[in-house]
Amino acid sequence: MLLIDVVRVSEAVTRTSARLGKIGHLAELLGRVGAGEAEIAIAYLSGELPQRQIGVGWRSLQDLPQPKLAATATLTEVDELLSTIKAVSGQGSQAARKALVSRLFAGLTRQEQAFMLRLLGGELRQGALDGVMIEAVAKASGAPSADVRRALTLRGWLPAVGAAALTGGVPALRAFRLEVGRAVSPMLAGSAPNVVTALAKAGAPASLEWKLDGIRVQVHRSGGEVKVFTRTLDDITGRLPELVEAVLELPSDDLVLDGEVIALRPDGRPHPFQVTASRASSKVDVARLREQTPLSVFFFDLLRVDGADLLDLPYSDRQEALGRAVPPGLLTPRLVTDEVAQAEKFFTDVVRAGHEGLVVKSLSSPYAAGRRGAGWVKVKPRHTLDLVVLAAEWGHGRRQGKLSNLHLGARDPEGGGFVMLGKTFKGLTDELLAWQTERFLELAEGPADELTVRVRPELVVEIAFDGVQRSPRYPGGMALRFARVLRYRPDKRAEDADTMETVRSLML
DNA sequence: TTCCGACAGTGGGGTCGCAAT
DNA sequence: ATTGCGACCCCACTATCGGAA
């Protein structure tokens, strides 16, 4: 199949707003792609590469060669070139990589180049990713989408699942099994503003569990071999030797566990997330690092033990099995209750202990990939500050032409000005975007560039955030974590905004 | 007919490893 | 030694579609 066939379908998908219409376009193409190229087509049309990543980002895609006039590139040819680029990137030479990228784009028409640019940049923006592609695979193969989802949970990679469905139908999908040593798509959590709402979503009684601010890990053990995967299924076994050792000490030698690693201080309270992240992403001199900053692991789910797959069991059964397989010291603290007062106290306690909050889990739900639905619901406390808008950046995509991303500052009584604490684009409705664009242009002052409009510091906005962290980037040495807009405060003037002193008091 | 679950899009701060400067 | 880039940790929120109620 030619690349241009895929590009045309992607364009049709982009033009179609109805989801069923998008699915129709995708399924039509999947119906005519050859077995040898199905995996490539599915990957491209859900915004992925069969190679996952190839070491090429937006910067390596500047000044590309002139396009060709005739579209002749096949999917297989493009795929082979991308594999070559990945191999060269792994070996280091940026010049060689650049030459290969040029060769790839020199073989494409203008239309194909535009598609490839978005695909490699990781921003396909056609309104269809995995969720829509699952339905398209189901439609094209005649299999129920539940079978496709189930296979995706077990296999963790939709292009492989989709290709199997197209050639082998339902039997091929049902042939996927949990394989120890191969990562499963992780189950994710939705969120709720408070414990009561979370309990209502998950259904009482529910399991309430400490939400630790660390790194999600999926751990596989087969005999004496252990593998550790992240949420995006990267293998990070080599960075976490203490986790490997802990799992090797468990009585069972056939396990798939789900949990969180986190750096704790000697008194048991958590280090800031940055400390855990730094430790978990370091590959060099791990032996020394683990002495300085040991990581602890806390498991909360068990997907397999001693030859038995547990994914389809209700959560309460998996918990029971987990309790038998893992000693109490490696278990995430939890409480099963249907009483709001008890639940609220548990929440207060975990926050007082310095942790992030709770995950409230339905006792009956099986383990299912993706689906940030009602099965698991997270609850975290929320801080707010009244800050001043210092500037705004022009948005992209559906926010094109709107001033979107706000630069936020706290008042600095000593210096007499405002100190920037970060940016946010979250929480804005279309109406608010329109309003603030107009208002900011009225308040515009100082040097502007193509990206940013500076404004007189007069508008006060109420910002919600999860915490204050140490920042190497911002002038005050502090930045807000997960900042989002709650509302503008027309009743407040800049002189009434919160101060740096207040922000400092929130940083632990 | 209305409601609500699932999805995609729009970007945020921080860290490491590596190549080029 | 420093800088820029790519990849990947953590992530919240709104608009929209279409099936459920």
PDB file of all heavy atoms in Angstrom, chain B residues 2-13:
ATOM      1  P    DT B   2     -34.439  18.188  26.091  1.00  0.00           P
ATOM      2  OP1  DT B   2     -34.951  19.419  26.711  1.00  0.00           O
ATOM      3  OP2  DT B   2     -33.588  18.249  24.890  1.00  0.00           O
ATOM      4  O5'  DT B   2     -33.664  17.354  27.207  1.00  0.00           O
ATOM      5  C5'  DT B   2     -34.413  16.785  28.278  1.00  0.00           C
ATOM      6  C4'  DT B   2     -33.482  15.950  29.138  1.00  0.00           C
ATOM      7  O4'  DT B   2     -33.126  14.740  28.421  1.00  0.00           O
ATOM      8  C3'  DT B   2     -32.153  16.641  29.493  1.00  0.00           C
ATOM      9  O3'  DT B   2     -31.922  16.439  30.882  1.00  0.00           O
ATOM     10  C2'  DT B   2     -31.122  15.947  28.608  1.00  0.00           C
ATOM     11  C1'  DT B   2     -31.716  14.551  28.476  1.00  0.00           C
ATOM     12  N1   DT B   2     -31.334  13.805  27.251  1.00  0.00           N
ATOM     13  C2   DT B   2     -30.896  12.505  27.375  1.00  0.00           C
ATOM     14  O2   DT B   2     -30.799  11.946  28.444  1.00  0.00           O
ATOM     15  N3   DT B   2     -30.572  11.900  26.185  1.00  0.00           N
ATOM     16  C4   DT B   2     -30.653  12.443  24.915  1.00  0.00           C
ATOM     17  O4   DT B   2     -30.338  11.787  23.935  1.00  0.00           O
ATOM     18  C5   DT B   2     -31.108  13.793  24.860  1.00  0.00           C
ATOM     19  C7   DT B   2     -31.231  14.482  23.535  1.00  0.00           C
ATOM     20  C6   DT B   2     -31.420  14.415  26.008  1.00  0.00           C
ATOM     21  P    DC B   3     -30.598  16.939  31.608  1.00  0.00           P
ATOM     22  OP1  DC B   3     -30.970  17.358  32.972  1.00  0.00           O
ATOM     23  OP2  DC B   3     -29.882  17.866  30.696  1.00  0.00           O
ATOM     24  O5'  DC B   3     -29.748  15.599  31.727  1.00  0.00           O
ATOM     25  C5'  DC B   3     -30.374  14.431  32.266  1.00  0.00           C
ATOM     26  C4'  DC B   3     -29.368  13.307  32.329  1.00  0.00           C
ATOM     27  O4'  DC B   3     -29.114  12.790  30.989  1.00  0.00           O
ATOM     28  C3'  DC B   3     -28.003  13.698  32.900  1.00  0.00           C
ATOM     29  O3'  DC B   3     -27.595  12.650  33.763  1.00  0.00           O
ATOM     30  C2'  DC B   3     -27.113  13.819  31.654  1.00  0.00           C
ATOM     31  C1'  DC B   3     -27.728  12.783  30.720  1.00  0.00           C
ATOM     32  N1   DC B   3     -27.572  13.042  29.257  1.00  0.00           N
ATOM     33  C2   DC B   3     -27.168  11.998  28.415  1.00  0.00           C
ATOM     34  O2   DC B   3     -26.933  10.895  28.911  1.00  0.00           O
ATOM     35  N3   DC B   3     -27.051  12.244  27.086  1.00  0.00           N
ATOM     36  C4   DC B   3     -27.333  13.445  26.603  1.00  0.00           C
ATOM     37  N4   DC B   3     -27.210  13.627  25.286  1.00  0.00           N
ATOM     38  C5   DC B   3     -27.745  14.527  27.439  1.00  0.00           C
ATOM     39  C6   DC B   3     -27.847  14.284  28.754  1.00  0.00           C
ATOM     40  P    DC B   4     -26.364  12.835  34.751  1.00  0.00           P
ATOM     41  OP1  DC B   4     -26.717  12.176  36.020  1.00  0.00           O
ATOM     42  OP2  DC B   4     -25.938  14.255  34.719  1.00  0.00           O
ATOM     43  O5'  DC B   4     -25.238  11.958  34.043  1.00  0.00           O
ATOM     44  C5'  DC B   4     -25.518  10.602  33.719  1.00  0.00           C
ATOM     45  C4'  DC B   4     -24.385  10.080  32.859  1.00  0.00           C
ATOM     46  O4'  DC B   4     -24.510  10.580  31.513  1.00  0.00           O
ATOM     47  C3'  DC B   4     -22.994  10.498  33.344  1.00  0.00           C
ATOM     48  O3'  DC B   4     -22.145   9.393  33.153  1.00  0.00           O
ATOM     49  C2'  DC B   4     -22.632  11.627  32.385  1.00  0.00           C
ATOM     50  C1'  DC B   4     -23.265  11.104  31.110  1.00  0.00           C
ATOM     51  N1   DC B   4     -23.507  12.109  30.052  1.00  0.00           N
ATOM     52  C2   DC B   4     -23.375  11.729  28.711  1.00  0.00           C
ATOM     53  O2   DC B   4     -23.075  10.570  28.460  1.00  0.00           O
ATOM     54  N3   DC B   4     -23.595  12.651  27.742  1.00  0.00           N
ATOM     55  C4   DC B   4     -23.939  13.888  28.076  1.00  0.00           C
ATOM     56  N4   DC B   4     -24.145  14.755  27.076  1.00  0.00           N
ATOM     57  C5   DC B   4     -24.067  14.308  29.433  1.00  0.00           C
ATOM     58  C6   DC B   4     -23.844  13.392  30.382  1.00  0.00           C
ATOM     59  P    DG B   5     -21.001   9.020  34.150  1.00  0.00           P
ATOM     60  OP1  DG B   5     -21.584   8.328  35.307  1.00  0.00           O
ATOM     61  OP2  DG B   5     -20.185  10.237  34.328  1.00  0.00           O
ATOM     62  O5'  DG B   5     -20.175   7.968  33.296  1.00  0.00           O
ATOM     63  C5'  DG B   5     -20.876   6.983  32.538  1.00  0.00           C
ATOM     64  C4'  DG B   5     -20.047   6.606  31.332  1.00  0.00           C
ATOM     65  O4'  DG B   5     -20.281   7.550  30.251  1.00  0.00           O
ATOM     66  C3'  DG B   5     -18.554   6.588  31.583  1.00  0.00           C
ATOM     67  O3'  DG B   5     -18.017   5.481  30.883  1.00  0.00           O
ATOM     68  C2'  DG B   5     -18.086   7.931  31.017  1.00  0.00           C
ATOM     69  C1'  DG B   5     -19.064   8.158  29.863  1.00  0.00           C
ATOM     70  N9   DG B   5     -19.370   9.556  29.570  1.00  0.00           N
ATOM     71  C8   DG B   5     -19.622  10.557  30.479  1.00  0.00           C
ATOM     72  N7   DG B   5     -19.898  11.700  29.914  1.00  0.00           N
ATOM     73  C5   DG B   5     -19.825  11.438  28.558  1.00  0.00           C
ATOM     74  C6   DG B   5     -20.027  12.313  27.439  1.00  0.00           C
ATOM     75  O6   DG B   5     -20.326  13.504  27.451  1.00  0.00           O
ATOM     76  N1   DG B   5     -19.847  11.641  26.236  1.00  0.00           N
ATOM     77  C2   DG B   5     -19.528  10.316  26.117  1.00  0.00           C
ATOM     78  N2   DG B   5     -19.401   9.860  24.885  1.00  0.00           N
ATOM     79  N3   DG B   5     -19.341   9.497  27.144  1.00  0.00           N
ATOM     80  C4   DG B   5     -19.500  10.127  28.327  1.00  0.00           C
ATOM     81  P    DA B   6     -16.483   5.119  30.962  1.00  0.00           P
ATOM     82  OP1  DA B   6     -16.376   3.654  30.958  1.00  0.00           O
ATOM     83  OP2  DA B   6     -15.884   5.942  32.027  1.00  0.00           O
ATOM     84  O5'  DA B   6     -15.932   5.650  29.561  1.00  0.00           O
ATOM     85  C5'  DA B   6     -16.527   5.159  28.380  1.00  0.00           C
ATOM     86  C4'  DA B   6     -15.871   5.814  27.192  1.00  0.00           C
ATOM     87  O4'  DA B   6     -16.336   7.181  27.076  1.00  0.00           O
ATOM     88  C3'  DA B   6     -14.342   5.880  27.263  1.00  0.00           C
ATOM     89  O3'  DA B   6     -13.841   5.466  26.007  1.00  0.00           O
ATOM     90  C2'  DA B   6     -14.061   7.351  27.560  1.00  0.00           C
ATOM     91  C1'  DA B   6     -15.239   8.042  26.895  1.00  0.00           C
ATOM     92  N9   DA B   6     -15.615   9.318  27.501  1.00  0.00           N
ATOM     93  C8   DA B   6     -15.698   9.611  28.836  1.00  0.00           C
ATOM     94  N7   DA B   6     -16.089  10.843  29.091  1.00  0.00           N
ATOM     95  C5   DA B   6     -16.274  11.394  27.829  1.00  0.00           C
ATOM     96  C6   DA B   6     -16.688  12.672  27.409  1.00  0.00           C
ATOM     97  N6   DA B   6     -16.996  13.666  28.238  1.00  0.00           N
ATOM     98  N1   DA B   6     -16.771  12.902  26.083  1.00  0.00           N
ATOM     99  C2   DA B   6     -16.463  11.906  25.245  1.00  0.00           C
ATOM    100  N3   DA B   6     -16.061  10.659  25.520  1.00  0.00           N
ATOM    101  C4   DA B   6     -15.990  10.470  26.847  1.00  0.00           C
ATOM    102  P    DC B   7     -12.260   5.331  25.731  1.00  0.00           P
ATOM    103  OP1  DC B   7     -12.099   4.092  24.975  1.00  0.00           O
ATOM    104  OP2  DC B   7     -11.547   5.570  26.996  1.00  0.00           O
ATOM    105  O5'  DC B   7     -11.906   6.538  24.775  1.00  0.00           O
ATOM    106  C5'  DC B   7     -12.930   7.289  24.243  1.00  0.00           C
ATOM    107  C4'  DC B   7     -12.430   8.300  23.237  1.00  0.00           C
ATOM    108  O4'  DC B   7     -13.024   9.557  23.621  1.00  0.00           O
ATOM    109  C3'  DC B   7     -10.930   8.512  23.170  1.00  0.00           C
ATOM    110  O3'  DC B   7     -10.545   8.507  21.817  1.00  0.00           O
ATOM    111  C2'  DC B   7     -10.692   9.867  23.853  1.00  0.00           C
ATOM    112  C1'  DC B   7     -12.043  10.531  23.900  1.00  0.00           C
ATOM    113  N1   DC B   7     -12.384  11.141  25.225  1.00  0.00           N
ATOM    114  C2   DC B   7     -12.929  12.426  25.230  1.00  0.00           C
ATOM    115  O2   DC B   7     -13.119  13.006  24.158  1.00  0.00           O
ATOM    116  N3   DC B   7     -13.232  12.992  26.409  1.00  0.00           N
ATOM    117  C4   DC B   7     -13.020  12.329  27.559  1.00  0.00           C
ATOM    118  N4   DC B   7     -13.335  12.929  28.691  1.00  0.00           N
ATOM    119  C5   DC B   7     -12.480  11.009  27.569  1.00  0.00           C
ATOM    120  C6   DC B   7     -12.176  10.450  26.379  1.00  0.00           C
ATOM    121  P    DA B   8      -9.031   8.670  21.384  1.00  0.00           P
ATOM    122  OP1  DA B   8      -8.900   7.968  20.094  1.00  0.00           O
ATOM    123  OP2  DA B   8      -8.150   8.350  22.512  1.00  0.00           O
ATOM    124  O5'  DA B   8      -8.916  10.242  21.115  1.00  0.00           O
ATOM    125  C5'  DA B   8      -9.786  10.849  20.172  1.00  0.00           C
ATOM    126  C4'  DA B   8      -9.542  12.350  20.144  1.00  0.00           C
ATOM    127  O4'  DA B   8     -10.008  12.926  21.383  1.00  0.00           O
ATOM    128  C3'  DA B   8      -8.075  12.759  20.002  1.00  0.00           C
ATOM    129  O3'  DA B   8      -8.006  13.730  18.973  1.00  0.00           O
ATOM    130  C2'  DA B   8      -7.693  13.314  21.370  1.00  0.00           C
ATOM    131  C1'  DA B   8      -9.031  13.800  21.905  1.00  0.00           C
ATOM    132  N9   DA B   8      -9.168  13.730  23.359  1.00  0.00           N
ATOM    133  C8   DA B   8      -8.785  12.686  24.169  1.00  0.00           C
ATOM    134  N7   DA B   8      -9.052  12.885  25.442  1.00  0.00           N
ATOM    135  C5   DA B   8      -9.638  14.138  25.470  1.00  0.00           C
ATOM    136  C6   DA B   8     -10.145  14.917  26.526  1.00  0.00           C
ATOM    137  N6   DA B   8     -10.131  14.534  27.802  1.00  0.00           N
ATOM    138  N1   DA B   8     -10.673  16.125  26.221  1.00  0.00           N
ATOM    139  C2   DA B   8     -10.681  16.510  24.941  1.00  0.00           C
ATOM    140  N3   DA B   8     -10.237  15.865  23.857  1.00  0.00           N
ATOM    141  C4   DA B   8      -9.728  14.671  24.197  1.00  0.00           C
ATOM    142  P    DG B   9      -6.576  14.397  18.596  1.00  0.00           P
ATOM    143  OP1  DG B   9      -6.633  14.698  17.160  1.00  0.00           O
ATOM    144  OP2  DG B   9      -5.490  13.585  19.169  1.00  0.00           O
ATOM    145  O5'  DG B   9      -6.624  15.771  19.401  1.00  0.00           O
ATOM    146  C5'  DG B   9      -7.710  16.669  19.143  1.00  0.00           C
ATOM    147  C4'  DG B   9      -7.595  17.866  20.063  1.00  0.00           C
ATOM    148  O4'  DG B   9      -7.800  17.460  21.426  1.00  0.00           O
ATOM    149  C3'  DG B   9      -6.247  18.581  20.025  1.00  0.00           C
ATOM    150  O3'  DG B   9      -6.537  19.959  19.980  1.00  0.00           O
ATOM    151  C2'  DG B   9      -5.584  18.183  21.349  1.00  0.00           C
ATOM    152  C1'  DG B   9      -6.809  18.042  22.244  1.00  0.00           C
ATOM    153  N9   DG B   9      -6.660  17.163  23.395  1.00  0.00           N
ATOM    154  C8   DG B   9      -6.142  15.886  23.404  1.00  0.00           C
ATOM    155  N7   DG B   9      -6.168  15.342  24.596  1.00  0.00           N
ATOM    156  C5   DG B   9      -6.737  16.306  25.409  1.00  0.00           C
ATOM    157  C6   DG B   9      -7.012  16.291  26.789  1.00  0.00           C
ATOM    158  O6   DG B   9      -6.809  15.384  27.614  1.00  0.00           O
ATOM    159  N1   DG B   9      -7.588  17.475  27.227  1.00  0.00           N
ATOM    160  C2   DG B   9      -7.868  18.537  26.410  1.00  0.00           C
ATOM    161  N2   DG B   9      -8.432  19.599  26.994  1.00  0.00           N
ATOM    162  N3   DG B   9      -7.614  18.583  25.113  1.00  0.00           N
ATOM    163  C4   DG B   9      -7.046  17.429  24.685  1.00  0.00           C
ATOM    164  P    DT B  10      -5.439  20.984  19.475  1.00  0.00           P
ATOM    165  OP1  DT B  10      -6.162  22.025  18.722  1.00  0.00           O
ATOM    166  OP2  DT B  10      -4.331  20.258  18.850  1.00  0.00           O
ATOM    167  O5'  DT B  10      -4.911  21.600  20.852  1.00  0.00           O
ATOM    168  C5'  DT B  10      -5.729  22.501  21.574  1.00  0.00           C
ATOM    169  C4'  DT B  10      -5.110  22.778  22.922  1.00  0.00           C
ATOM    170  O4'  DT B  10      -5.261  21.617  23.760  1.00  0.00           O
ATOM    171  C3'  DT B  10      -3.601  23.078  22.874  1.00  0.00           C
ATOM    172  O3'  DT B  10      -3.351  24.372  23.398  1.00  0.00           O
ATOM    173  C2'  DT B  10      -2.986  21.983  23.747  1.00  0.00           C
ATOM    174  C1'  DT B  10      -4.152  21.567  24.627  1.00  0.00           C
ATOM    175  N1   DT B  10      -4.028  20.215  25.199  1.00  0.00           N
ATOM    176  C2   DT B  10      -4.425  20.026  26.511  1.00  0.00           C
ATOM    177  O2   DT B  10      -4.871  20.918  27.208  1.00  0.00           O
ATOM    178  N3   DT B  10      -4.269  18.757  26.980  1.00  0.00           N
ATOM    179  C4   DT B  10      -3.770  17.673  26.295  1.00  0.00           C
ATOM    180  O4   DT B  10      -3.676  16.581  26.850  1.00  0.00           O
ATOM    181  C5   DT B  10      -3.381  17.925  24.935  1.00  0.00           C
ATOM    182  C7   DT B  10      -2.830  16.818  24.103  1.00  0.00           C
ATOM    183  C6   DT B  10      -3.527  19.168  24.455  1.00  0.00           C
ATOM    184  P    DG B  11      -2.072  25.204  22.886  1.00  0.00           P
ATOM    185  OP1  DG B  11      -1.894  26.382  23.746  1.00  0.00           O
ATOM    186  OP2  DG B  11      -2.225  25.394  21.467  1.00  0.00           O
ATOM    187  O5'  DG B  11      -0.883  24.167  23.090  1.00  0.00           O
ATOM    188  C5'  DG B  11       0.224  24.448  23.937  1.00  0.00           C
ATOM    189  C4'  DG B  11      -0.049  24.061  25.379  1.00  0.00           C
ATOM    190  O4'  DG B  11      -0.721  22.778  25.416  1.00  0.00           O
ATOM    191  C3'  DG B  11       1.206  23.846  26.215  1.00  0.00           C
ATOM    192  O3'  DG B  11       1.581  25.048  26.846  1.00  0.00           O
ATOM    193  C2'  DG B  11       0.788  22.805  27.228  1.00  0.00           C
ATOM    194  C1'  DG B  11      -0.543  22.258  26.706  1.00  0.00           C
ATOM    195  N9   DG B  11      -0.449  20.799  26.645  1.00  0.00           N
ATOM    196  C8   DG B  11      -0.047  20.027  25.577  1.00  0.00           C
ATOM    197  N7   DG B  11      -0.027  18.751  25.841  1.00  0.00           N
ATOM    198  C5   DG B  11      -0.433  18.683  27.160  1.00  0.00           C
ATOM    199  C6   DG B  11      -0.593  17.555  27.998  1.00  0.00           C
ATOM    200  O6   DG B  11      -0.400  16.375  27.722  1.00  0.00           O
ATOM    201  N1   DG B  11      -1.005  17.928  29.260  1.00  0.00           N
ATOM    202  C2   DG B  11      -1.246  19.201  29.678  1.00  0.00           C
ATOM    203  N2   DG B  11      -1.628  19.349  30.925  1.00  0.00           N
ATOM    204  N3   DG B  11      -1.114  20.250  28.908  1.00  0.00           N
ATOM    205  C4   DG B  11      -0.704  19.933  27.668  1.00  0.00           C
ATOM    206  P    DG B  12       3.054  25.104  27.497  1.00  0.00           P
ATOM    207  OP1  DG B  12       3.384  26.532  27.611  1.00  0.00           O
ATOM    208  OP2  DG B  12       3.929  24.193  26.776  1.00  0.00           O
ATOM    209  O5'  DG B  12       2.849  24.494  28.966  1.00  0.00           O
ATOM    210  C5'  DG B  12       2.148  25.249  29.928  1.00  0.00           C
ATOM    211  C4'  DG B  12       2.248  24.572  31.266  1.00  0.00           C
ATOM    212  O4'  DG B  12       1.570  23.312  31.213  1.00  0.00           O
ATOM    213  C3'  DG B  12       3.661  24.233  31.717  1.00  0.00           C
ATOM    214  O3'  DG B  12       4.166  25.321  32.477  1.00  0.00           O
ATOM    215  C2'  DG B  12       3.484  23.013  32.601  1.00  0.00           C
ATOM    216  C1'  DG B  12       2.172  22.411  32.118  1.00  0.00           C
ATOM    217  N9   DG B  12       2.329  21.135  31.447  1.00  0.00           N
ATOM    218  C8   DG B  12       2.198  20.860  30.105  1.00  0.00           C
ATOM    219  N7   DG B  12       2.380  19.600  29.815  1.00  0.00           N
ATOM    220  C5   DG B  12       2.640  19.009  31.045  1.00  0.00           C
ATOM    221  C6   DG B  12       2.912  17.658  31.368  1.00  0.00           C
ATOM    222  O6   DG B  12       2.974  16.690  30.609  1.00  0.00           O
ATOM    223  N1   DG B  12       3.128  17.497  32.725  1.00  0.00           N
ATOM    224  C2   DG B  12       3.080  18.493  33.657  1.00  0.00           C
ATOM    225  N2   DG B  12       3.326  18.154  34.914  1.00  0.00           N
ATOM    226  N3   DG B  12       2.824  19.749  33.371  1.00  0.00           N
ATOM    227  C4   DG B  12       2.616  19.941  32.045  1.00  0.00           C
ATOM    228  P    DG B  13       5.788  25.398  32.707  1.00  0.00           P
ATOM    229  OP1  DG B  13       6.046  26.714  33.285  1.00  0.00           O
ATOM    230  OP2  DG B  13       6.522  24.946  31.501  1.00  0.00           O
ATOM    231  O5'  DG B  13       6.033  24.285  33.812  1.00  0.00           O
ATOM    232  C5'  DG B  13       5.615  24.502  35.136  1.00  0.00           C
ATOM    233  C4'  DG B  13       6.334  23.531  36.044  1.00  0.00           C
ATOM    234  O4'  DG B  13       5.964  22.194  35.656  1.00  0.00           O
ATOM    235  C3'  DG B  13       7.847  23.616  35.913  1.00  0.00           C
ATOM    236  O3'  DG B  13       8.444  23.501  37.192  1.00  0.00           O
ATOM    237  C2'  DG B  13       8.208  22.456  35.001  1.00  0.00           C
ATOM    238  C1'  DG B  13       7.117  21.444  35.304  1.00  0.00           C
ATOM    239  N9   DG B  13       6.801  20.622  34.142  1.00  0.00           N
ATOM    240  C8   DG B  13       6.443  21.060  32.892  1.00  0.00           C
ATOM    241  N7   DG B  13       6.256  20.089  32.044  1.00  0.00           N
ATOM    242  C5   DG B  13       6.514  18.935  32.773  1.00  0.00           C
ATOM    243  C6   DG B  13       6.479  17.570  32.385  1.00  0.00           C
ATOM    244  O6   DG B  13       6.214  17.107  31.275  1.00  0.00           O
ATOM    245  N1   DG B  13       6.802  16.735  33.434  1.00  0.00           N
ATOM    246  C2   DG B  13       7.114  17.134  34.702  1.00  0.00           C
ATOM    247  N2   DG B  13       7.395  16.183  35.586  1.00  0.00           N
ATOM    248  N3   DG B  13       7.153  18.411  35.084  1.00  0.00           N
ATOM    249  C4   DG B  13       6.842  19.253  34.070  1.00  0.00           C
TER     250       DG B  13
END
